[in-house]
Amino acid sequence: MPMPVKNDRAVWFKGGDLTCSIPPGKRVKTTRLVLMGPPGIGKGTQAQLLCKRLGICHLSTGDIFRTASVLKDQASPALQTALHQMHSGELVSDTTVIAIIRERLKCLECEGGFALDGFPRTIVQAEALETLLRDHHVDLTAVINYELPIDQIVARLSGRRVCGHCRAVFHLTQAAPKTPGVCDNCGKPLYQREDDRPESVRVRMRAYEQSTKPLIDYYQQRNLLLSIDADGTPNGICRRTTTALREFTGSATEGSSTANQKTNPR
Ligand code: AP5
């Protein structure tokens, strides 16, 4: 089992020539995942758990925008437009998102591996990712698609609280912090995301249906899709995911055609 990576994700948050505080060592096999599913299903929560278990790095495009939002008036006009789109629940333009990913190519190539959370979100973004990875001789291990009925997703979103400093995710009742309103990891205050207001949630759900859901077929056709039931506790879902992933990578290396079947081990 690889050692957990506890770096500061400096390259991911800031891009450019930075180096992470604890760059990963060489791996026998690098795990590179895309996490998919509707807003609020628990991708960020699973990314945190999977990263601890697999020693990979959590790469969230939403976190990049939320980190940039502290810049406020100092942000470039393009970034200000992106932040306005995010707060209202709309998708940020493909051009902006793809440019941000290009500035962080080092993370995609990193030997430590990754769990991409929130990218790609459109077919245009998926095609751009495919080209970038192919040009840099990097393969995706799997695309994990979480599934859950809508009423449970809405309950998760309405109780969510996040840490503005380390980006940890909590829930008022399902994953409550030890001290109300305070992050367990770093002791900083928790807040409710602006795009968790009901009117923004409606826009986000529509954007998911129209733009992101078609990616399920896209990745199924590429034999990369692994669908996971997102009901249950975060740790239970994480165990379900790693078990399915082990079976999937085993069968993928053996050339099995069962790779893209729905997997739901309890
Ligand atoms: P992003 O941050 O990616 O948001 P999202 O996809 O809408 O997903 P969320 O972060 O809302 O939810 P999640 O699935 O991670 O759930 P979580 O783990 O927090 O993007 C935000 C915005 O940025 C977008 O709307 C867009 O504007 C822009 N953007 C980002 N990437 C973009 C791109 N590529 N293209 C264009 N625009 C882009 O869990 C939710 C809650 O449930 C938490 O409170 C958690 O504690 C709780 N919970 C989790 N698991 C469980 C469980 N098993 N049981 C009970 N509660 C649980």
Side-chain angles (χ1 to χ4, degrees):
M1 164 112 19
M3 288 299 290
V5 182
K6 271 211 133 192
N7 74 37
D8 56 1
R9 291 181 285 165
V11 181
W12 183 249
F13 285 123
K14 297 183 185 141
D17 291 329
L18 290 169
T19 307
C20 287
S21 55
I22 309 176
K26 196 132 182 86
R27 301 284 164 93
V28 179
K29 197 171 169 203
T30 302
T31 303
R32 295 186 173 99
L33 306 174
V34 168
L35 305 190
M36 274 181 46
I41 198 163
K43 301 180 294 295
T45 303
Q46 289 306 312
Q48 287 175 15
L49 295 173
L50 287 168
C51 291
K52 261 192 212 150
R53 264 192 208 190
L54 305 175
I56 57 181
C57 199
H58 180 192
L59 307 181
S60 153
T61 37
D63 278 351
I64 292 178
F65 294 126
R66 281 183 288 279
T67 302
S69 63
V70 296
L71 293 173
K72 296 211 167 95
D73 297 342
Q74 297 160 32
S76 67
L79 189 53
Q80 287 193 29
T81 306
L83 295 177
H84 175 73
Q85 287 166 328
M86 183 184 85
H87 290 146
S88 63
E90 292 166 39
L91 293 187
V92 174
S93 77
D94 287 335
T95 318
T96 303
V97 176
I98 292 166
I100 282 172
I101 296 293
R102 281 184 188 284
E103 288 167 4
R104 289 160 175 79
L105 253 180
K106 263 162 94 171
C107 296
L108 300 184
E109 293 178 292
C110 179
E111 284 273 347
F114 58 72
L116 262 177
D117 163 15
F119 178 85
R121 246 182 168 94
T122 64
I123 296 284
V124 172
Q125 292 179 18
E127 287 169 349
L129 177 65
E130 196 166 281
T131 306
L132 279 175
L133 295 180
R134 192 177 45 235
D135 290 352
H136 292 82
H137 312 288
V138 170
D139 289 327
L140 281 182
T141 307
V143 174
I144 297 176
N145 178 43
Y146 289 106
E147 298 179 328
L148 193 69
I150 187 81
D151 52 329
Q152 289 188 54
I153 296 178
V154 171
R156 287 183 184 182
L157 274 176
S158 58
R160 171 163 57 190
R161 296 295 180 270
V162 293
C163 174
H165 181 68
C166 73
R167 302 281 151 215
V169 181
F170 298 88
H171 190 277
L172 289 179
T173 55
Q174 304 295 318
K178 291 189 186 93
T179 308
V182 178
C183 178
D184 287 355
N185 298 344
C186 68
K188 295 282 183 345
L190 303 179
Y191 74 103
Q192 181 166 32
R193 274 170 44 175
E194 209 169 318
D195 60 350
D196 279 349
R197 289 169 301 145
E199 61 273 25
S200 300
V201 169
R202 274 192 294 276
V203 177
R204 286 162 66 199
M205 290 297 178
R206 211 167 37 238
Y208 170 78
E209 287 293 326
Q210 284 171 358
S211 305
T212 311
K213 217 171 170 187
L215 292 181
I216 294 176
D217 279 348
Y218 181 92
Y219 283 118
Q220 187 131 34
Q221 283 161 15
R222 283 155 180 76
N223 278 348
L224 281 169
L225 194 78
L226 192 53
S227 287
I228 303 284
D229 181 357
D231 193 10
T233 64
N235 277 321
I237 299 162
C238 182
R239 271 195 301 276
R240 197 178 292 156
T241 307
T242 49
T243 304
L245 195 56
R246 236 183 347 261
E247 287 171 7
F248 177 74
T249 50
S251 62
T253 47
E254 287 156 22
S256 160
S257 61
T258 60
N260 62 354
Q261 284 174 2
K262 180 166 175 167
T263 315
N264 188 14
R266 297 273 164 185

